[in-house]
């Protein structure tokens, strides 16, 4: 972190950093917007109050859901910021748009992100010194960015599934259907028995899914061949606790709820959830807090412990070697 920090300090143009150590996130800077920590520990400079008010609307109010709420805000935040006056809101909008391209991933989105950053940098340079004539400046400002190519933030996948399932319950309906069994026979794909197989929730890193990392398909195929029925859920990295809390349950939890010894969170979605016998996380991040770790001190551990105690199933962290 120290070596990278020294390199970042020398960068004169816009600095955009995503999904990295919090010490490095402070180096984000686009125009008047930055994330530097104020002197005296007053927190980061960050967005203006009106923008912060918008950001807060995308969270459930739970501290552990704030980062997940931020990802939801990415979808519409840049458009909402158009209506907030001030240069700082405009600069934050640029940062959010760049991150939105990065977050969706894929070659075309990354190219669009780089176009946005280069365009912004040249316009910043123009303010300080005339590097373009008026015609060149107008042409640069008139350039339109490519449309964002969107893939789901959260979904379920399988080598036999065309596209993605939207929730665990619909995935299980597909997985247990005769249509899937017939398709597996046609492709000589071994499926775990529907009735007797342990059901294992697999938490997968979304960036690895959209970049077609081979280990994901191999892992699902291996589970099926060994008689384990996988329920592979891909996430951005910060929503692991919401998946366990809202989309998964267990026999222990079901019995506890029926006996009144366990109270589920109000966010639990019975119409979308499914019962599992174990959870395997491959994302390499904590169950609560994700890579940014921007949680109240110690709270992430307490929330994770409460979720896993309620489930009372094996929880295994098995990060792929490429991490």
């Amino acid at each position: 972190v120290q070596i990278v920090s020294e390199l970042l300090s020398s960068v004169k143009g816009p600095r955009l950093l995503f999904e990295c150590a919090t010490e490095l996130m402070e180096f984000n800077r686009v125009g008047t917007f930055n994330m530097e920590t104020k002197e005296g520990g007053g927190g980061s400079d960050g967005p203006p109050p009106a923008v912060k008010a918008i950001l807060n609307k995308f969270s459930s109010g739970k501290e552990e859901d704030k980062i997940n709420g931020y990802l939801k805000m990415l979808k519409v935040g840049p458009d909402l910021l158009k209506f907030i006056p001030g240069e700082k809101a405009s600069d934050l909008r640029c940062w959010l748009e760049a991150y939105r391209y990065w977050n969706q991933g894929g070659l075309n989105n990354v190219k669009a992100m780089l176009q946005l950053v280069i365009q912004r940098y040249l316009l910043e340079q123009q303010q300080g010194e005339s590097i373009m004539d008026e015609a060149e400046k107008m042409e640069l400002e008139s350039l339109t960015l490519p449309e964002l190519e969107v893939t789901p933030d959260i979904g379920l996948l399988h080598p036999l599934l065309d596209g993605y399932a939207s929730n665990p319950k619909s995935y299980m309906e597909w997985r247990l259907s005769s249509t899937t069994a017939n398709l597996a026979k046609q492709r000589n794909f071994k499926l775990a028995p529907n009735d007797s197989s342990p059901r294992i929730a697999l938490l997968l890193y979304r960036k690895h899914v959209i970049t077609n990392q081979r280990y994901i398909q191999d892992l699902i195929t291996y589970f099926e061949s060994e008689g384990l029925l996988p329920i592979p859920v891909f996430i951005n990295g910060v929503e692991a606790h919401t998946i366990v809390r809202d989309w998964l349950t267990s026999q222990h939890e079901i019995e506890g709820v029926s006996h009144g010894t366990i109270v589920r969170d109000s966010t639990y979605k019975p119409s979308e959830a499914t019962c599992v016998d174990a959870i395997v996380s491959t994302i390499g991040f904590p169950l609560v807090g994700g890579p940014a770790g921007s949680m109240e001190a110690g709270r992430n551990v307490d929330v994770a412990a409460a979720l896993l105690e309620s489930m009372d199933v094996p929880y295994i962290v098995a990060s792929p070697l490429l991490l």
Side-chain angles (χ1 to χ4, degrees), residues 31 76 181 188 199 216 226 234 237 270 277 279 285-286 290 299 313 318:
V76 296
N188 197 28
R199 300 181 180 185
I216 292 177
E226 292 296 311
F234 62 84
D277 301 297
I279 302 169
F285 302 137
R299 180 173 170 81
V313 297

Side-chain angles (χ1 to χ4, degrees), residues 9-321:
S9 299
S10 64
V11 176
K12 307 246 181 241
R15 298 188 298 227
L16 296 96
L17 295 96
F18 313 128
E19 300 168 9
C20 60
T22 51
E23 298 93 330
L24 297 180
M25 291 291 286
E26 291 188 3
F27 284 92
N28 270 294
R29 184 186 67 200
V30 179
T32 59
F33 170 74
N34 67 74
M35 295 186 183
E36 294 176 2
T37 301
K38 291 180 179 178
E39 293 185 8
S44 63
D45 192 17
V51 175
K52 288 181 180 178
I54 289 179
L55 302 185
N56 289 335
K57 299 298 182 183
F58 291 87
S59 174
S60 67
K62 297 176 184 290
E63 174 65 24
E64 61 269 23
D65 287 357
K66 284 184 177 179
I67 309 173
N68 188 35
Y70 164 73
L71 290 174
K72 295 178 181 177
M73 185 274 299
L74 275 180
K75 294 181 178 179
V76 296
D79 296 325
L80 291 176
L81 289 175
K82 291 178 183 177
F83 303 103
I84 296 181
E87 186 178 359
K88 197 168 188 179
S90 174
D91 293 333
L92 172 59
R93 179 170 175 255
C94 177
W95 188 90
L96 288 173
E97 284 184 330
Y99 187 26
R100 184 160 61 170
Y101 281 114
W102 174 261
N103 181 263
Q104 288 300 326
L107 178 60
N108 291 336
N109 283 331
V110 172
K111 286 169 64 177
M113 180 196 72
L114 293 175
Q115 177 185 327
L116 170 66
V117 174
I118 293 170
Q119 186 174 345
R120 186 62 181 233
Y121 174 70
L122 289 176
L123 290 173
E124 277 190 16
Q125 289 293 98
Q126 178 72 6
Q127 292 177 359
E129 52 183 299
S130 295
I131 61 174
M132 297 176 284
D133 59 33
E134 194 61 31
E136 289 173 327
K137 181 184 176 184
M138 290 180 62
E139 182 181 1
L140 182 64
E141 290 177 333
S142 66
L143 288 176
T144 57
L145 291 171
E147 287 291 326
L148 184 72
E149 295 182 0
V150 179
T151 54
D153 292 328
I154 299 174
L156 294 91
L157 74 159
H158 191 280
L160 298 177
L161 180 61
D162 184 17
Y164 307 114
S166 59
N167 60 68
K169 188 168 186 178
S170 64
Y171 168 85
M172 287 302 295
E173 289 173 352
W174 168 85
R175 171 57 185 79
L176 300 176
S177 69
S178 58
T179 301
T180 301
N182 292 333
L183 183 60
K185 289 178 181 178
Q186 293 171 15
R187 298 186 183 179
N188 197 28
F189 186 98
K190 184 178 180 182
L191 290 175
N194 285 355
D195 299 328
S196 58
S197 302
R199 300 181 180 185
I200 316 296
L202 272 175
L203 300 182
L204 303 169
Y205 191 34
R206 176 178 170 274
K207 282 284 171 56
H208 291 177
V209 171
I210 61 179
T211 54
N212 298 313
Q213 297 296 319
R214 180 177 172 179
Y215 80 88
I216 292 177
Q217 299 292 338
D218 289 347
L219 184 59
I220 297 170
T221 301
Y222 180 76
F223 268 48
E224 292 277 18
S225 67
E226 292 296 311
L228 303 172
L229 200 158
I231 304 171
V233 186
F234 62 84
I235 61 177
N236 280 293
V238 300
E239 315 96 324
H241 70 285
T242 67
I243 300 302
V244 175
R245 183 189 67 199
D246 304 343
W247 268 3
L248 301 179
T249 188
S250 65
Q251 196 57 44
H252 173 267
E253 187 175 72
I254 291 171
E255 292 174 359
V257 170
S258 67
H259 294 152
T261 57
I262 293 177
V263 178
R264 283 199 184 103
D265 196 282
S266 59
T267 57
Y268 178 71
K269 301 174 181 177
S271 63
E272 300 178 0
T274 194
C275 184
V276 299
D277 301 297
I279 302 169
V280 176
S281 174
T282 70
I283 59 174
F285 302 137
L287 180 63
V288 181
S294 55
M295 291 281 298
E296 293 173 354
R299 180 173 170 81
N300 53 347
V301 177
D302 294 338
V303 173
L307 286 173
L308 295 175
E309 285 173 7
S310 178
M311 292 286 290
D312 194 25
V313 297
Y315 174 68
I316 301 167
V317 177
S319 300
L321 290 177

